[in-house]
Amino acid sequence: MRDMPGRKAPGGIFIVFEGKEISVLREGRGEDMVFLHGYLSSKECFTFQIKYFSKFYRVTAFDFVGFGKSAPLSEPWSVGDYAAYTARFLDSLGIKNARLIAHSFGGRVALKLLSERPALFDRALLAGCAGIPPKRGLSYKCKVRAYRIAKKFAPRFAEKKFGSPEYRTLSPVMRESYKKIVNEDLSPCLAKIGARVLYVFGEKDAATPLYMAEKLTEGTKGSALVVMPGCGHFCFAEDPARFNAVAREFFR
């Protein structure tokens, strides 16, 4: 199938889909491989993987709406909204039974798609996959309570004082979207996944710790877990040669 017509740009093309301009990179020939990036990231984070796997597959990597060079969000999107849009976008490109590599937030979207659209991906490698609720202690609960009180009486102060550095950098629309995304437990998706899944996590990943990896693996039938020693949340970029070798073997 030919690529959809789009405006050329350095590192790819822009495709207008459902009124939104999406930055897309397509390289290589053969069976399809799709990349889904993490939150506040972009398709360029997979540079090492795109260069390597485009030798064997037709690679499609794009920036989610609201990230990278794609159009900004006009309203808050949930994980489900991103998954539904991604499915329609990939359908428009004629992609099905593809290999998938996803990272972090891209893993959230992948879990939705794998559970709801089984024909879209043949198998998936999810690196530092998010979607499992973090363990929360008493200090966190106290902080949430303080935030709610502050927000009631001084909302601007609450937005500046509380929340992660990542959250404080977001626009109002993205903040509302962020809340929808991080508060959703995607554990119910796991039992519905029929495709082969490999979870790859960094040994020192602080954003998605190994206990999350273990819960994902336990809940996904037939899945496996590879832990990359010495790596953090971006294991695929920290040790690309090892990651690519693991992925190549899995997809082959």
Side-chain angles (χ1 to χ4, degrees), residues 163-189:
S164 64
E166 179 181 66
Y167 176 79
R168 291 196 291 268
T169 64
L170 302 175
S171 68
V173 171
M174 290 292 284
R175 286 183 179 184
E176 293 306 309
S177 178
Y178 182 87
K179 292 176 187 177
K180 289 185 176 185
I181 290 166
V182 300
N183 289 328
E184 183 173 1
D185 179 5
L186 295 173
S187 300
C189 294

Side-chain angles (χ1 to χ4, degrees), residues 4 13 44 60 103 106 121 134 157 162 168 174 178 184 188 197-198 208 214-215 220 224 226:
M4 295 173 62
I13 60 172
E44 282 75 22
T60 299
H103 174 236
F121 300 113
F157 170 79
F162 295 90
R168 291 196 291 268
M174 290 292 284
Y178 182 87
E184 183 173 1
V197 177
L198 177 66
T208 51
E214 292 166 357
K215 287 188 175 182
T220 310
V226 171

Side-chain angles (χ1 to χ4, degrees), residues 63-100:
D63 293 336
F64 283 120
V65 176
F67 302 100
K69 301 183 184 75
S70 288
L73 281 179
S74 57
E75 59 185 359
W77 279 17
S78 65
V79 178
D81 293 325
Y82 273 104
Y85 185 88
T86 297
R88 295 194 301 271
F89 181 61
L90 295 179
D91 285 344
S92 72
L93 296 175
I95 293 174
K96 59 183 178 180
N97 296 321
R99 275 82 165 173
L100 170 66

Side-chain angles (χ1 to χ4, degrees), residues 80-148:
D81 293 325
Y82 273 104
Y85 185 88
T86 297
R88 295 194 301 271
F89 181 61
L90 295 179
D91 285 344
S92 72
L93 296 175
I95 293 174
K96 59 183 178 180
N97 296 321
R99 275 82 165 173
L100 170 66
I101 295 180
H103 174 236
S104 196
F105 165 66
R108 291 181 188 266
V109 176
L111 293 178
K112 282 276 190 182
L113 293 172
L114 289 165
S115 65
E116 297 174 359
R117 290 288 306 275
L120 196 54
F121 300 113
D122 173 65
R123 58 186 65 189
L125 188 158
L126 308 183
C129 182
I132 298 297
K135 297 176 181 178
R136 300 299 194 188
L138 180 61
S139 61
Y140 174 81
K141 294 177 181 178
C142 291
K143 189 175 182 180
V144 170
R145 186 176 181 183
Y147 165 74
R148 289 174 178 170

Side-chain angles (χ1 to χ4, degrees), residues 206-226:
T208 51
L210 287 182
Y211 72 82
M212 294 185 179
E214 292 166 357
K215 287 188 175 182
L216 287 166
T217 308
E218 290 171 3
T220 310
K221 185 178 179 180
S223 66
L225 170 64
V226 171

Side-chain angles (χ1 to χ4, degrees), residues 36-39 45-46 101-107 127-129 233-234 236:
L36 301 179
H37 66 77
Y39 204 82
C45 71
F46 292 117
I101 295 180
H103 174 236
S104 196
F105 165 66
C129 182
H233 192 50
F234 286 80
F236 56 94

